[in-house]
Amino acid sequence: MTDAQTPPVLILLGPPGAGKGTQARMLEEKFGLVQLSTGDLLRGAVAAGTEAGKAAKAVMEAGQLVSDEIVIAVLKDRLGDDDTRNGVILDGFPRTTAQAEALDGLLAASGQKINAAISLEVEDEAMVERISGRYTCAKCGEGYHDSFKTPAVDGTCDKCGSTEFKRRADDNAETVRSRLVAYHEQTAPLIDFYQGRGVLKEVPAMGAIEEIAGALNAIVGQAKT
């Protein structure tokens, strides 16, 4: 491992629909890493009843946003758990440079650091097509796409034979474009931040899942040596 056996810490950046979840699960299986998203962290801390979890619960029940300080405290507790000994992948945190700086401080206190901030690079209009074309079988949940994966028999699910399908309300071109604009505005400073620290890795993410996984495996493998 890196730096006297300290577990590597990786950040996965990419807009909604870029495949972060799929790739993170594959990295978990291959390298024994643990994917940590902000939502999962907060829910876990609330369920465990930690001090940070209690603070987060009070804020969320009041309908307010959880502060950076609370998120950092929750993350600190989580990084102390045994299952993170092989390293973690942070998904959705940090979102701002202030959070990135706070994260650096937290890791430095335990002798850790960000080993790589991996940005999944996608084409905006291709992402609009990819996401807005998605739909699922209303009965069994089998996934389909207007362009890339249609049922063998039009209007009938290949898996269960149902004729009912559904689309997520936010899987439309206008909403996807808005989410991409917001992502670029929020993430651009982070790209510069980690590029300045020499840990930014950019991975083209419009190809086959296996090709993207290969590029990620090479980066993570280097981070763990």
Side-chain angles (χ1 to χ4, degrees), residues 18-35:
K20 296 192 302 298
T22 297
Q23 294 298 334
R25 286 191 293 274
M26 294 170 72
L27 290 172
E28 284 184 308
E29 293 177 6
K30 184 173 181 62
F31 294 101
L33 304 173
V34 174
Q35 179 188 14

Side-chain angles (χ1 to χ4, degrees), residues 8-186:
V9 179
L10 309 163
I11 295 173
L12 199 55
L13 303 170
K20 296 192 302 298
T22 297
Q23 294 298 334
R25 286 191 293 274
M26 294 170 72
L27 290 172
E28 284 184 308
E29 293 177 6
K30 184 173 181 62
F31 294 101
L33 304 173
V34 174
Q35 179 188 14
L36 301 178
S37 69
T38 305
D40 290 341
L41 283 169
L42 293 175
R43 285 189 290 271
V46 169
T50 64
E51 289 303 312
K54 292 175 183 176
K57 182 179 180 181
V59 171
M60 290 188 290
E61 287 182 345
Q64 300 174 350
L65 292 175
V66 178
S67 69
D68 291 351
E69 290 76 15
I70 292 176
V71 175
I72 286 291
V74 169
L75 179 57
K76 179 181 179 181
D77 290 342
R78 186 68 179 87
L79 290 175
D81 292 342
D82 288 342
D83 65 342
T84 67
R85 63 186 179 279
N86 288 324
V88 299
I89 313 167
L90 299 180
D91 178 6
F93 186 86
R95 292 185 182 273
T96 67
T97 52
Q99 291 178 345
E101 290 169 348
L103 176 59
D104 278 352
L106 166 64
L107 296 175
S110 60
Q112 292 176 271
K113 65 179 182 180
I114 300 299
N115 298 87
I118 307 169
S119 177
L120 298 181
E121 299 294 303
V122 297
E123 301 166 7
D124 283 6
E125 283 308 305
M127 291 301 298
V128 172
E129 181 183 12
R130 179 189 291 181
I131 297 174
S132 62
R134 298 187 302 196
Y135 62 99
T136 60
C137 173
K139 182 177 180 180
C140 72
E142 180 71 5
Y144 295 95
H145 193 279
D146 292 330
S147 301
F148 310 131
K149 183 187 175 184
T150 57
V153 177
D154 187 35
T156 302
C157 177
D158 297 339
K159 189 173 182 179
C160 72
S162 172
T163 56
E164 295 184 17
F165 298 87
K166 62 181 180 180
R167 296 177 189 267
R168 285 178 45 172
D170 57 352
D171 278 357
N172 61 78
E174 182 179 355
T175 300
V176 174
R177 286 194 180 94
S178 296
R179 287 157 64 189
L180 286 167
V181 169
Y183 171 78
H184 290 309
E185 289 177 347
Q186 295 168 3

Side-chain angles (χ1 to χ4, degrees), residues 22-24 26-27 30-31 118 120 202-205 207-222:
T22 297
Q23 294 298 334
M26 294 170 72
L27 290 172
K30 184 173 181 62
F31 294 101
I118 307 169
L120 298 181
E202 295 178 321
V203 173
I209 290 175
E210 293 77 13
E211 293 177 0
I212 301 166
L216 289 171
N217 289 345
I219 293 170
V220 176
Q222 181 64 34

